Amino acid sequence: MPRSVSATAEPDFSLLERLSHAVWVFDIDAGRVRWANREALLLWRAESLEDLRQRDMATDMSESVARRLRQYQADFERYDSRFSESWTLYPQGSPRTMLVEFSGIRVAGRMMMLCECQGQLQLDADTLMRAEGLLHTSAMISMYGEDGMPLYRNPAAREKVLDPSAGWRERLLDPQDAARLEAQLDQDGQGRLVARVLTRKGERWHELAARRCRDAVSGKSSLLFSEMDISELKEAEARAHYLANHDTLTGLPNRHYVMQAFQALLTRAAAQGLPTALLFVDLDRFKYVNDSLGHSFGDQLLVQMSERLKGLVGARAHLARLGGDEFLLLLAEDEAESAARALALAIREAVARPVRLGGMEVQVTASVGISLGRDGEQDIQTRMRHADLAMYAAKDAGRDDVMCYTPEMGERARARLSLENEIRRGLENGEFLPYYQPQVDCGSGRIVGAEALVRWQHPERGLLLPGAFISVCEESGLIRELDLRIFREAAHQLADWRARGWALTVSVNLSARQFTHPSLLPDLCEILRQTGCKADWIELEITESLLLGRDQATLQTLTALREAGFAIAIDDFGTGYSNLGYLQQYPLTTLKIDRSFISRLPEDAAIAELVITLCRLLKLSIVAEGVERQAQLDWLRGMQCEQYQGFLCSPALPVKHFEELLD
Ligand code: C2E
Ligand code: MG
Ligand code: MG
């Protein structure tokens, strides 16, 4: 307990009067000397105690000194502290540096400071400055004995330390930090460390530098510490680390994190003999949502989906967002394969639940690819590639599906990639060109037009049909360039035919994949301008699947194309969803009855008949595709079908042969 002279009354200081060194009591709250012995009055150059008591020490006291005094007061209260400090007094304005011992004393119920002067320090100016610097610096300087207990703390250190009597080891939260620093000191006589430290402000990050030295007072070997609070820096660093490893939108770990943490998890699972499964989840119609509803709704959808995934996965698996609409999950458990399949199905169900976005109900599905660690593969990059390939296989299989990786998927992907590169090269070298299949008037048998069908004159493999490359063009986006290329060739050819007196029309296929591309119409018009071809000589063929979305963009594009003068045909009619209702809603001109219905003629004619009747009602013209036999043509004639294409007349031909046929 701090010495307490009396609870309330003025204590009797007469004993202190006898001391030969200066002693005074400083009233911290009042900022004045409360009592002083004779020696102290001399020291302070005061005529009497009354004179000294009159002096208001608080007025020109610096804020840092005032704060220090308040802290000393609290320390006296809590720890009964006692310490010495060099202290510069300014009796009547002239400085005198004394070594003073401070302790707490309770006077009239309040904690005051008992100051015992231990002598004047005869310091040269340089040392004095240094001592002052030590007093006022914000760096924490402390000295500890060999036993690790504190010998000295400068005011900044005293202000921060939670328990002034604590040794340096006790202040470090992690005992391993103490061991580390000790090892450095043993080896080099000095050490440096960033550690969690207990302070009055709670746990903080301090950078500590310690070195062995000699205590100048006792001559004993001791440790000199300097410390800086670097918590803010550390927090900024932690924040940067978090940001580098997390996706800010969903708060999920990101790709950067996956590459490190998932690799470590895979390696650990392998060491424990645990099977693993990596699940690659991709939302199916996300791009559509993003494009049609805007990015902010796209973001909302992603957040909702990631919440669903988090809820589903819980602590069972590790979940990360790779970017875009791709998520990755890692499972490591005994029955990883069946667990992964079950989880994938649960994910599919969870994702498929409708989402409300801006008052609209939106539904997306998920394709999931799974890589099982059966073959002992533990490299995260390889496992991710496998899961990714399996996910693509699921998409290929019609989306909203789950697939496990098999080695064949890898081979197919490699083959596709090399094909894609070859297509690029082929496009550069002008190896793609249209062949023309005659479109024949059923009644007269005259050739009235042609369909331009792309062929690839491959330098090694010879002539290739669209089935060998169209799907890769669509996946890679090359289809846009290919379609425009064929359109340009056809327009150029048609202008030439027209100039030579053949009043033909030409049909050109357009892939659904690029149909709503904003520059489609301008691009087509520019080609017409360059070739001198007219839009109303050309029919654009699109597939039924395009109309199913019933979205505004498709309708707008179709309307614009129609207004520009192009005829529009639905290709392969009847093979898609055959929702006849939508036909009315779009500005179409022609239906092409799919070959599969024609091939059944004349025996099985129900569907062909229905389609022809429908076209009559909707005032659409009809083209029958794939007519190979005379009996089929006879039936079509009987139904007053307008035109046909098929091997009965001719397959698609190069220009020269097509012209011979025209003649
Ligand atoms: P499609 O537009 O329905 O073209 C008709 C396909 O049926 C052509 O196949 C044609 O050669 C074939 N065919 C025509 N008459 C008969 C017949 O009597 N019997 C049989 N068995 N087949 C017949 P091809 O040329 O292999 O084209 C296949 C598909 O590739 C086309 O189907 C079309 O969807 C697509 N395609 C062709 N050229 C292009 C193009 O320039 N751009 C795009 N995006 N797709 C194209
Ligand atoms: Mg076609
Ligand atoms: Mg067709």
Side-chain angles (χ1 to χ4, degrees):
M1 275 300 290
R3 73 208 74 185
S4 172
V5 184
S6 152
T8 49
E10 188 72 14
D12 177 9
F13 294 117
S14 56
L15 258 176
L16 299 178
E17 208 47 279
R18 295 206 189 167
L19 292 174
S20 58
H21 57 268
V23 177
W24 67 97
V25 173
F26 186 71
D27 184 342
I28 298 171
D29 297 327
R32 286 168 196 266
V33 171
R34 176 69 170 231
W35 182 84
N37 70 358
R38 208 166 302 114
E39 285 299 315
L41 293 178
L42 281 173
L43 176 65
W44 282 102
R45 297 193 188 164
E47 280 169 16
S48 63
L49 181 58
E50 251 340 280
D51 169 25
L52 187 55
R53 279 178 141 176
Q54 292 299 318
R55 297 185 194 170
D56 181 358
M57 312 257 182
T59 41
D60 44 45
M61 189 182 281
S62 78
E63 176 48 36
S64 76
V65 172
R67 206 174 57 229
R68 235 154 72 202
L69 286 174
R70 279 196 296 277
Q71 185 211 316
Y72 292 175
Q73 189 181 32
D75 284 353
F76 298 145
E77 198 74 75
R78 277 177 73 185
Y79 306 106
D80 191 15
S81 304
R82 164 179 282 277
F83 51 89
S84 321
E85 217 163 64
S86 76
W87 195 267
T88 306
L89 310 176
Y90 297 89
Q92 312 287 21
S94 59
R96 292 182 71 182
T97 302
M98 320 294 298
L99 185 65
V100 185
E101 184 165 297
F102 301 111
S103 56
I105 182 167
R106 195 172 284 283
V107 179
R110 289 189 291 117
M111 184 55 73
M112 300 190 186
M113 184 159 79
L114 181 67
C115 310
E116 300 169 61
C117 184
Q118 296 179 326
Q120 178 160 5
L121 290 173
Q122 294 305 331
L123 297 174
D124 58 83
D126 196 33
T127 316
L128 203 61
M129 301 289 235
R130 251 183 281 151
E132 281 291 292
L134 209 58
L135 279 182
H136 294 290
T137 178
S138 63
M140 295 163 262
I141 311 288
S142 31
M143 195 178 266
Y144 294 89
E146 263 310 289
D147 56 357
M149 298 318 283
L151 295 172
Y152 166 79
R153 286 195 175 93
N154 78 339
R158 215 171 304 128
E159 188 184 326
K160 299 275 166 48
V161 75
L162 180 61
D163 172 3
S165 63
W168 67 266
R169 290 184 194 82
E170 300 152 49
R171 298 183 51 230
L172 303 182
L173 278 158
D174 182 354
Q176 292 202 347
D177 281 339
R180 263 197 290 276
L181 191 57
E182 208 131 31
Q184 289 181 41
L185 285 166
D186 284 347
Q187 202 184 327
D188 305 324
Q190 57 180 335
R192 194 172 271 280
L193 193 73
V194 171
R196 304 274 301 152
V197 175
L198 265 173
T199 75
R200 280 175 208 262
K201 285 195 198 161
E203 294 178 19
R204 305 285 289 178
W205 284 101
H206 280 191
E207 181 176 29
L208 300 122
R211 63 163 56 244
R212 289 203 183 285
C213 63
R214 224 166 256 290
D215 172 4
V217 180
S218 66
K220 286 189 189 146
S221 75
S222 52
L223 285 172
L224 182 69
F225 274 74
S226 71
E227 287 172 52
M228 286 290 285
D229 187 333
I230 56 156
S231 302
E232 263 108 68
L233 212 74
K234 258 313 228 200
E235 273 145 29
E237 191 183 292
R239 179 102 195 110
H241 180 77
Y242 180 88
L243 286 179
N245 285 292
H246 287 79
D247 157 41
T248 44
L249 180 66
T250 63
L252 285 174
N254 64 10
R255 180 182 287 272
H256 182 258
Y257 174 89
V258 162
M259 289 326 235
Q260 292 162 12
F262 277 32
Q263 179 63 73
L265 290 166
L266 282 178
T267 312
R268 198 170 67 208
Q272 295 169 338
L274 273 184
T276 56
L278 199 65
L279 286 81
F280 202 120
V281 179
D282 189 290
L283 304 184
D284 291 324
R285 274 168 29 99
F286 177 69
K287 197 181 140 27
Y288 170 80
V289 173
N290 229 5
D291 291 350
S292 54
L293 300 183
H295 288 256
S296 109
F297 283 124
D299 283 356
Q300 283 182 35
L301 179 74
L302 285 174
V303 170
Q304 293 205 30
M305 287 305 158
S306 69
E307 288 307 317
R308 286 183 191 177
L309 291 180
K310 282 181 206 167
L312 204 63
V313 167
R316 288 185 54 207
H318 302 269
L319 171 65
R321 178 178 170 221
L322 290 179
D325 57 348
E326 295 172 349
F327 298 87
L328 196 70
L329 295 99
L330 177 66
L331 273 177
E333 57 184 71
D334 278 328
E335 300 296 330
E337 175 163 357
S338 53
R341 285 180 195 276
L343 183 59
L345 292 177
I347 288 172
R348 262 186 60 201
E349 275 175 25
V351 168
R353 289 203 316 270
V355 182
R356 282 204 81 75
L357 291 179
M360 226 182 319
E361 200 141 274
V362 176
Q363 197 187 9
V364 291
T365 52
S367 296
V368 185
I370 303 177
S371 151
L372 297 164
R374 277 189 294 228
D375 47 359
E377 182 58 69
Q378 282 138 31
D379 171 48
I380 183 68
Q381 305 232 24
T382 312
R383 292 289 298 275
M384 275 170 73
R385 203 175 61 243
H386 290 177
D388 189 32
L389 284 167
M391 186 277 288
Y392 268 104
K395 289 225 187 248
D396 275 354
R399 305 179 176 179
D400 190 14
D401 207 342
V402 178
M403 292 269 188
C404 284
Y405 169 78
T406 62
E408 296 80 62
M409 291 176 182
E411 273 147 41
R412 231 178 57 218
R414 266 189 296 282
R416 271 196 189 187
L417 191 65
S418 76
L419 182 58
E420 185 184 322
N421 290 332
E422 272 199 79
I423 294 171
R424 267 179 225 282
R425 187 192 44 73
L427 278 168
E428 274 169 30
N429 297 347
E431 293 168 13
F432 294 88
L433 69 163
Y435 271 32
Y436 296 91
Q437 181 174 42
Q439 291 177 328
V440 187
D441 181 272
C442 290
S444 67
R446 280 184 44 234
I447 297 176
V448 291
E451 176 173 5
L453 291 161
V454 63
R455 298 293 181 260
W456 184 3
Q457 190 61 60
H458 194 280
E460 286 125 38
R461 292 159 64 195
L463 193 72
L464 299 181
L465 296 176
F469 55 88
I470 286 281
S471 63
V472 175
C473 288
E474 293 195 316
E475 276 159 33
S476 59
L478 290 168
I479 194 70
R480 200 177 129 62
E481 193 181 336
L482 181 76
D483 279 355
L484 288 178
R485 187 77 59 104
I486 298 303
F487 180 86
R488 176 187 297 278
E489 286 292 328
H492 181 76
Q493 188 59 61
L494 186 53
D496 180 54
W497 284 331
R498 288 268 174 165
R500 286 153 64 193
W502 282 308
L504 300 168
T505 58
V506 168
S507 300
V508 180
N509 294 280
L510 285 185
S511 165
R513 287 279 169 124
Q514 56 117 13
F515 188 72
T516 51
H517 193 287
S519 76
L520 176 67
L521 181 60
D523 286 345
L524 297 184
C525 291
E526 175 59 18
I527 293 172
L528 293 181
R529 200 186 58 76
Q530 288 170 4
T531 55
C533 183
K534 296 251 166 3
D536 45 9
W537 303 340
I538 293 192
E539 184 169 68
L540 300 174
E541 295 190 9
I542 55 171
T543 49
E544 234 179 325
S545 62
L546 193 79
L547 307 182
L548 287 172
R550 282 189 205 197
D551 58 301
Q552 271 320 101
T554 304
L555 180 60
Q556 276 167 14
T557 310
L558 283 171
T559 309
L561 288 169
R562 204 50 210 106
E563 280 167 2
F566 293 105
I568 292 171
I570 297 298
D571 205 354
D572 307 337
F573 185 76
T575 54
Y577 295 80
S578 300
N579 178 348
L580 305 180
Y582 65 67
L583 291 177
Q584 284 174 290
Q585 300 166 18
Y586 293 99
L588 308 172
T589 48
T590 311
L591 280 195
K592 299 186 76 170
I593 311 175
D594 191 66
R595 194 170 72 223
S596 55
F597 305 114
I598 304 301
S599 66
R600 299 176 199 163
L601 294 178
E603 297 79 18
D604 181 0
I607 292 175
E609 204 174 326
L610 182 77
V611 174
I612 292 171
T613 315
L614 184 86
C615 286
R616 290 265 147 66
L617 281 170
L618 295 172
K619 303 202 165 50
L620 295 171
S621 34
I622 312 162
V623 179
E625 293 190 282
V627 177
E628 296 180 352
R629 289 176 284 118
Q630 186 60 43
Q632 291 166 344
L633 180 59
D634 292 341
W635 185 89
L636 289 165
R637 276 195 182 128
M639 287 298 291
Q640 271 126 37
C641 171
E642 286 123 355
Q643 291 175 20
Y644 81 92
Q645 283 175 237
F647 294 169
L648 181 66
C649 170
S650 166
L653 300 170
V655 178
K656 191 163 151 279
H657 293 133
F658 182 78
E659 289 178 356
E660 284 167 13
L661 205 65
L662 283 178
D663 282 332

